[in-house]
Amino acid sequence: MTGVPQRTRMSAPDALPRPDVLVPQPYELPVPTRFRLANGASGLAYDLPGQYVLSVRLSVPMPLRVEPRDLEGVATIMARTLDEGTARHTSVEFARLLERRGVAIGCGVGDSGLSVELDVAKHHLAYGLDLMHQCLAEPAFPAEEVARQVSTRLAEIEQERSVASHRAAAEFAATFYSPVGRSSRPVGGTAETVAAITRDAVVAFHAEHVAPAEATVVVAGDLAGLDVVAELDLSLGRWGTPDTYRSPGPWQVTPRADDRARIVVVDRPGSVQTELMIGAPGPDRRHPGGWAPYPLLGFLVGGSPTARIDAVLREDKGYTYGIRSTFRPRRRGGVFITAGSVRSEVTGDALRLLLDVLEHGREGFTQDEVDHAAQFLVLTAPSRYATADTIADEAASLSFDGLDTGFTSRNLVEIAGMDAERAGAAYREFIDGRWTVVLVGDAASFLADVQALGRGDVTVVPN
Amino acid sequence: MADIAYPIAERTLPNGLRVIVSQDRTVPSVTVNLWVKVGSRDEVPGRTGFAHLFEHLMFQGSANVASGEHFSALMGVGGRLNATTWFDRTNYFETVPKGALELALWLEADRQGRLLDALTQENLDNQRDVVKEEKRQRYDNAPYGHAMRDVYATLFPEGHPYHHPTIGSMEDLEAATLDDVHAFFATHYGPNNTVLTLVGDISPEDGFAAVEKYFGPLPPSAVARAEGSMPPLAPLTGPVRLERSEPVPNDRLYLAFRLPADATPEFHAVGLAMDAIGGLSSSRLVEHLVRQERLVTGLTAHPLGFAGGVSLGLISADISAGVDPADVERAICAELERFAETGPTDIEMESAVAETERAWLSALASHDDRADHISHYAALHDDTAYINTFLAQVRAVTVEEVRAAAARYLQPSSRAVVAYLMAPGPIADEELS
């Protein structure tokens, strides 16, 4: 380096011996207080001393198959318009009411249902809950706000199409799931269906599908001196079930495409990288063999720079900034996803190596590998679940599945005692060499290499 | 609301290492967070991207640690860890069960003090490839991926330390030799150019003793960077602009402004102004351009605080289909002019302060983030207790100070505009000249 005076480097003395690590005490996630509100909603309260911003999460289970086929995305538009005006306040007034006390409300829809999130400083809890109640019980869905959310979603669809990872996820869903199932299409709808959404459609959808009867509300944070149940009874507890409400009924297995085991290339000429998404069926949380092996397997195979995948593709080959694997449970069934990006010209070799690593797992894992992954997952839990929002998010996410954080604690115990044989068997149960592969990139620069791998049909589609 | 009062204890070791301990026994873990006072602003022409490449090399082994072992040794005992590079600094951090604190300190001390024993050409070549993929993933292969590079280059003059982005140029990285890497380490890495913060289940006495045990023997080997050495950079005196035609999904405008340095009363004031103008959901620009006129589908405004004499204020707007970006730019400029004359309303002030309060409390909720904030203000602003005093400083800002700050820093005539306009075709990767 220029401009630096010449100097003699001071050398460090030899290091002390590597210190031993003291084994930590066993850990359980905080245990909630359970209650039920007058309107039937279930409640969980987690007291986390020192967490001065409280996190409130409301989960309303709702399978997206209840959306009319020609209006898919209506649940998303409905959710995004909940806080854009109520019976008492215009959209602008409502935004101001929230922000004058630093109250953050977010509403969204995933494949399990509607989520409403409230983050609020402890001393403004009652104020925040009142506004959250207004969003749920008396949304006005002003026509101009619905129209604006439709425009915004249409712009977002184009933005998602332009981002390689989003584009890959959309093509993966379309390839992996049967076209008869809602899961094969975007949660937020397509341009055609979103453009058809009107205020009337939003109002009708809300009236039929949003109610407290099967909902769960979670409150997490420093609850000292607060009567959370009383606060909720005065707010969300007064949210009633409309006569028009229809229970979603039993959850169904998401049908997979018969021809899901194939390679699809989304052609983006000039792209300097290829986004890869590789998937196979996986378990849900109620899998008869237990859920516990799967977080561990995802981590062991592709959860860190030293996991099996990045040990080869990043640290040995330098093909990627990082590729991650994870088992994602859904209400019924699940999916094992591996995703990341590599530079265009090595796409063929990277795919070969990736499939090799993934399939090599069928031969099993060493007890050392399993122990290492188990230690990470179990011993990081206290700090991963240390804040109000992380506990609330975990509890809310599990509530869609009729579970709570006791499930997480029980899994940690099972993970801690995992033996390599069980882990290997759990992996083999799902990984059979039949993969759905999506590659988003410059087809001309790698198509021949990918075809030469002999891993099945290769289809090229436009971006 | 009540003021926050996280405990802060501080000690500087004889070798210059500044150590801060903030005890919090709610969770049986400890965060170790180091800020090394070297970032992309310290890079010289022809060697951009170096601070960041170097951050990668810090995971490739040191005298007593094998390549990749820093990750695996800590993850295997329940550690979560990473590192990042920015204009003003490079940070390294891990959160570990308290029984693994000494191992974390031993590993950190080994790489902070004894890296070069293990550095090889092979590691350098491999991590250079990884960094190139990071650049392709985050910048080259993403819509608007080079927008911030363009903003820095347009707002800050050629040769200014903030003119080039942290990722740097791949040509410069290609030219990097092992000798360069050795010189970089020798110049910037050492206890006398570093702040180390512990947050978690540990007393100040035990924390100081543990840090002293592993870091105390390291010599004060770095050329310590003096903060406050970069002169202030005044607002632009006339608008500048850069337009790019790219295959982006919608037209997007970035309006950038030179703001005062972070952690100053004027920076707090201009931050509140930006909230009121476009940062809040109830802000003027969101109300007019997003909700009423629907000229844009989304708009954000926020300050990015830097330590070296100047910060960056950024307004970005996603233009609605069929709308002329020039109309949006005119509307934003008109609102900036109005705000500079009249200042915020009481409700705007109340909202901006309340949102700042919640965001700050949330930012301090986890041990990891709290430690990072403590290190930040200790390293760059010599203010160890800043996390406890920031909100009082913000609440003390007056309506008139907000107006005056906007009038000085957020004038339309001081804007740098970067426009990304839709064009069909492959994503270009030309470098800004």
CSV table of all heavy atoms in Angstrom, one decimal, chain A residues 80-112:
chain,number,residue,atom,x,y,z
A,80,ARG,N,-53.5,-5.7,3.1
A,80,ARG,CA,-52.7,-4.5,3.0
A,80,ARG,C,-53.6,-3.2,3.1
A,80,ARG,O,-53.1,-2.1,3.3
A,80,ARG,CB,-52.0,-4.4,1.7
A,80,ARG,CG,-50.8,-5.5,1.6
A,80,ARG,CD,-50.2,-5.5,0.2
A,80,ARG,NE,-49.1,-6.5,0.2
A,80,ARG,CZ,-48.3,-6.7,-0.9
A,80,ARG,NH1,-48.5,-5.9,-1.9
A,80,ARG,NH2,-47.4,-7.6,-0.9
A,81,THR,N,-54.9,-3.4,3.0
A,81,THR,CA,-55.8,-2.3,3.1
A,81,THR,C,-56.4,-2.2,4.5
A,81,THR,O,-57.1,-1.2,4.8
A,81,THR,CB,-56.9,-2.4,2.0
A,81,THR,OG1,-56.3,-2.8,0.8
A,81,THR,CG2,-57.5,-1.0,1.8
A,82,LEU,N,-56.2,-3.2,5.4
A,82,LEU,CA,-56.8,-3.2,6.7
A,82,LEU,C,-56.4,-1.9,7.5
A,82,LEU,O,-57.3,-1.4,8.2
A,82,LEU,CB,-56.3,-4.4,7.5
A,82,LEU,CG,-56.9,-5.7,7.2
A,82,LEU,CD1,-56.2,-6.8,8.1
A,82,LEU,CD2,-58.4,-5.7,7.6
A,83,ASP,N,-55.2,-1.4,7.4
A,83,ASP,CA,-54.8,-0.2,8.1
A,83,ASP,C,-54.8,1.1,7.3
A,83,ASP,O,-54.2,2.0,7.6
A,83,ASP,CB,-53.5,-0.4,8.8
A,83,ASP,CG,-52.3,-0.6,7.8
A,83,ASP,OD1,-52.6,-0.8,6.6
A,83,ASP,OD2,-51.2,-0.5,8.2
A,84,GLU,N,-55.6,1.0,6.2
A,84,GLU,CA,-55.7,2.2,5.3
A,84,GLU,C,-57.0,2.8,5.4
A,84,GLU,O,-57.7,3.2,4.4
A,84,GLU,CB,-55.4,1.8,3.8
A,84,GLU,CG,-54.0,1.3,3.6
A,84,GLU,CD,-52.9,2.4,3.7
A,84,GLU,OE1,-53.3,3.6,3.8
A,84,GLU,OE2,-51.7,2.1,3.7
A,85,GLY,N,-57.5,3.1,6.6
A,85,GLY,CA,-58.7,3.7,6.9
A,85,GLY,C,-59.7,2.8,7.6
A,85,GLY,O,-59.8,1.6,7.2
A,86,THR,N,-60.4,3.3,8.6
A,86,THR,CA,-61.4,2.6,9.4
A,86,THR,C,-62.7,3.4,9.4
A,86,THR,O,-62.8,4.4,8.8
A,86,THR,CB,-60.9,2.4,10.8
A,86,THR,OG1,-60.8,3.7,11.4
A,86,THR,CG2,-59.5,1.7,10.8
A,87,ALA,N,-63.7,2.8,10.1
A,87,ALA,CA,-65.0,3.5,10.2
A,87,ALA,C,-64.8,4.9,10.7
A,87,ALA,O,-65.6,5.8,10.4
A,87,ALA,CB,-65.9,2.7,11.0
A,88,ARG,N,-63.8,5.0,11.6
A,88,ARG,CA,-63.7,6.4,12.3
A,88,ARG,C,-62.6,7.3,11.7
A,88,ARG,O,-62.6,8.5,11.9
A,88,ARG,CB,-63.3,6.1,13.7
A,88,ARG,CG,-64.5,5.7,14.6
A,88,ARG,CD,-64.1,5.4,16.0
A,88,ARG,NE,-63.9,3.9,16.2
A,88,ARG,CZ,-63.4,3.4,17.3
A,88,ARG,NH1,-63.1,4.1,18.3
A,88,ARG,NH2,-63.3,2.1,17.4
A,89,HIS,N,-61.7,6.7,10.9
A,89,HIS,CA,-60.6,7.5,10.4
A,89,HIS,C,-60.2,7.3,9.0
A,89,HIS,O,-60.3,6.1,8.5
A,89,HIS,CB,-59.3,7.2,11.3
A,89,HIS,CG,-59.5,7.4,12.7
A,89,HIS,ND1,-59.7,8.7,13.3
A,89,HIS,CD2,-59.7,6.5,13.7
A,89,HIS,CE1,-59.9,8.5,14.6
A,89,HIS,NE2,-59.9,7.2,14.9
A,90,THR,N,-59.8,8.3,8.3
A,90,THR,CA,-59.3,8.1,6.9
A,90,THR,C,-57.9,7.5,7.0
A,90,THR,O,-57.3,7.4,8.0
A,90,THR,CB,-59.2,9.5,6.2
A,90,THR,OG1,-58.1,10.2,6.8
A,90,THR,CG2,-60.5,10.3,6.2
A,91,SER,N,-57.5,7.1,5.8
A,91,SER,CA,-56.2,6.5,5.7
A,91,SER,C,-55.1,7.4,6.3
A,91,SER,O,-54.2,6.9,7.0
A,91,SER,CB,-55.9,6.2,4.2
A,91,SER,OG,-54.6,5.9,4.0
A,92,VAL,N,-55.1,8.6,5.9
A,92,VAL,CA,-54.1,9.6,6.4
A,92,VAL,C,-54.2,9.8,7.9
A,92,VAL,O,-53.2,9.8,8.6
A,92,VAL,CB,-54.2,10.9,5.6
A,92,VAL,CG1,-53.2,11.9,6.2
A,92,VAL,CG2,-53.9,10.7,4.1
A,93,GLU,N,-55.4,9.9,8.3
A,93,GLU,CA,-55.6,10.1,9.8
A,93,GLU,C,-55.1,8.9,10.5
A,93,GLU,O,-54.5,9.0,11.6
A,93,GLU,CB,-57.1,10.3,10.1
A,93,GLU,CG,-57.6,11.7,9.7
A,93,GLU,CD,-59.2,11.7,9.8
A,93,GLU,OE1,-59.8,10.7,10.1
A,93,GLU,OE2,-59.7,12.8,9.5
A,94,PHE,N,-55.4,7.7,10.0
A,94,PHE,CA,-55.0,6.5,10.7
A,94,PHE,C,-53.5,6.4,10.8
A,94,PHE,O,-52.9,6.1,11.8
A,94,PHE,CB,-55.6,5.3,10.1
A,94,PHE,CG,-55.6,4.1,11.0
A,94,PHE,CD1,-56.6,4.0,11.9
A,94,PHE,CD2,-54.7,3.1,10.9
A,94,PHE,CE1,-56.7,2.9,12.8
A,94,PHE,CE2,-54.7,2.0,11.7
A,94,PHE,CZ,-55.7,1.9,12.7
A,95,ALA,N,-52.8,6.7,9.7
A,95,ALA,CA,-51.3,6.7,9.7
A,95,ALA,C,-50.8,7.6,10.7
A,95,ALA,O,-49.8,7.3,11.4
A,95,ALA,CB,-50.8,7.0,8.3
A,96,ARG,N,-51.4,8.8,10.8
A,96,ARG,CA,-50.9,9.8,11.8
A,96,ARG,C,-51.2,9.3,13.2
A,96,ARG,O,-50.3,9.5,14.1
A,96,ARG,CB,-51.6,11.1,11.5
A,96,ARG,CG,-51.1,12.3,12.3
A,96,ARG,CD,-51.3,13.6,11.6
A,96,ARG,NE,-50.5,13.7,10.4
A,96,ARG,CZ,-50.9,14.3,9.3
A,96,ARG,NH1,-52.1,14.8,9.2
A,96,ARG,NH2,-50.1,14.4,8.2
A,97,LEU,N,-52.3,8.7,13.4
A,97,LEU,CA,-52.6,8.2,14.8
A,97,LEU,C,-51.6,7.2,15.2
A,97,LEU,O,-51.1,7.1,16.4
A,97,LEU,CB,-54.0,7.6,14.8
A,97,LEU,CG,-55.2,8.5,14.9
A,97,LEU,CD1,-56.5,7.7,14.7
A,97,LEU,CD2,-55.2,9.3,16.2
A,98,LEU,N,-51.2,6.3,14.3
A,98,LEU,CA,-50.2,5.3,14.6
A,98,LEU,C,-48.9,6.0,14.9
A,98,LEU,O,-48.2,5.7,15.9
A,98,LEU,CB,-50.0,4.4,13.4
A,98,LEU,CG,-51.1,3.4,13.0
A,98,LEU,CD1,-50.8,2.8,11.7
A,98,LEU,CD2,-51.2,2.3,14.1
A,99,GLU,N,-48.4,6.9,14.1
A,99,GLU,CA,-47.1,7.4,14.2
A,99,GLU,C,-46.9,8.4,15.3
A,99,GLU,O,-45.8,8.6,15.8
A,99,GLU,CB,-46.6,8.0,12.8
A,99,GLU,CG,-46.5,6.8,11.8
A,99,GLU,CD,-45.9,7.2,10.5
A,99,GLU,OE1,-46.1,8.3,10.0
A,99,GLU,OE2,-45.2,6.4,9.9
A,100,ARG,N,-48.0,9.1,15.7
A,100,ARG,CA,-47.8,10.0,16.8
A,100,ARG,C,-47.4,9.3,18.1
A,100,ARG,O,-46.9,10.0,19.0
A,100,ARG,CB,-49.2,10.8,17.0
A,100,ARG,CG,-49.4,11.8,16.0
A,100,ARG,CD,-50.7,12.6,16.2
A,100,ARG,NE,-50.5,13.5,17.3
A,100,ARG,CZ,-51.5,14.3,17.7
A,100,ARG,NH1,-52.6,14.4,17.0
A,100,ARG,NH2,-51.3,15.2,18.7
A,101,ARG,N,-47.7,8.0,18.2
A,101,ARG,CA,-47.2,7.3,19.4
A,101,ARG,C,-46.2,6.2,19.0
A,101,ARG,O,-45.9,5.3,19.7
A,101,ARG,CB,-48.4,6.6,20.1
A,101,ARG,CG,-49.4,7.6,20.6
A,101,ARG,CD,-49.0,8.3,21.9
A,101,ARG,NE,-50.0,9.2,22.4
A,101,ARG,CZ,-50.2,10.5,22.0
A,101,ARG,NH1,-49.4,11.0,21.0
A,101,ARG,NH2,-51.1,11.2,22.4
A,102,GLY,N,-45.6,6.4,17.8
A,102,GLY,CA,-44.6,5.4,17.4
A,102,GLY,C,-45.1,4.0,17.3
A,102,GLY,O,-44.4,3.0,17.6
A,103,VAL,N,-46.4,3.8,16.9
A,103,VAL,CA,-47.0,2.5,16.8
A,103,VAL,C,-46.8,1.9,15.4
A,103,VAL,O,-47.1,2.6,14.4
A,103,VAL,CB,-48.5,2.5,17.1
A,103,VAL,CG1,-49.1,1.1,17.0
A,103,VAL,CG2,-48.7,3.1,18.5
A,104,ALA,N,-46.2,0.7,15.3
A,104,ALA,CA,-46.1,0.1,13.9
A,104,ALA,C,-47.0,-1.0,13.8
A,104,ALA,O,-47.1,-1.9,14.6
A,104,ALA,CB,-44.6,-0.3,13.8
A,105,ILE,N,-47.8,-1.0,12.8
A,105,ILE,CA,-48.8,-2.1,12.5
A,105,ILE,C,-48.4,-2.6,11.1
A,105,ILE,O,-48.3,-1.8,10.1
A,105,ILE,CB,-50.2,-1.7,12.6
A,105,ILE,CG1,-50.6,-1.5,14.1
A,105,ILE,CG2,-51.2,-2.7,11.9
A,105,ILE,CD1,-52.1,-1.2,14.3
A,106,GLY,N,-48.3,-3.9,10.9
A,106,GLY,CA,-48.1,-4.5,9.6
A,106,GLY,C,-49.1,-5.6,9.4
A,106,GLY,O,-49.4,-6.4,10.3
A,107,CYS,N,-49.7,-5.7,8.2
A,107,CYS,CA,-50.6,-6.8,7.9
A,107,CYS,C,-50.2,-7.5,6.6
A,107,CYS,O,-49.9,-6.8,5.6
A,107,CYS,CB,-52.0,-6.2,7.7
A,107,CYS,SG,-52.6,-5.0,9.0
A,108,GLY,N,-50.2,-8.8,6.6
A,108,GLY,CA,-49.8,-9.5,5.4
A,108,GLY,C,-50.5,-10.9,5.4
A,108,GLY,O,-51.1,-11.4,6.4
A,109,VAL,N,-50.3,-11.5,4.3
A,109,VAL,CA,-50.9,-12.9,4.1
A,109,VAL,C,-49.8,-13.8,3.6
A,109,VAL,O,-49.0,-13.5,2.7
A,109,VAL,CB,-52.0,-12.8,3.0
A,109,VAL,CG1,-52.3,-14.2,2.5
A,109,VAL,CG2,-53.3,-12.2,3.7
A,110,GLY,N,-49.7,-15.0,4.2
A,110,GLY,CA,-48.8,-16.0,3.7
A,110,GLY,C,-49.7,-17.3,3.4
A,110,GLY,O,-50.9,-17.2,3.4
A,111,ASP,N,-49.0,-18.4,3.1
A,111,ASP,CA,-49.8,-19.5,2.7
A,111,ASP,C,-50.6,-20.2,3.8
A,111,ASP,O,-51.3,-21.1,3.6
A,111,ASP,CB,-49.0,-20.5,1.9
A,111,ASP,CG,-47.8,-21.0,2.6
A,111,ASP,OD1,-47.8,-21.0,3.8
A,111,ASP,OD2,-46.8,-21.4,1.9
A,112,SER,N,-50.3,-19.7,5.1
A,112,SER,CA,-51.1,-20.2,6.2
A,112,SER,C,-52.3,-19.3,6.6
A,112,SER,O,-53.1,-19.7,7.3
A,112,SER,CB,-50.2,-20.4,7.4
A,112,SER,OG,-49.2,-21.3,7.1
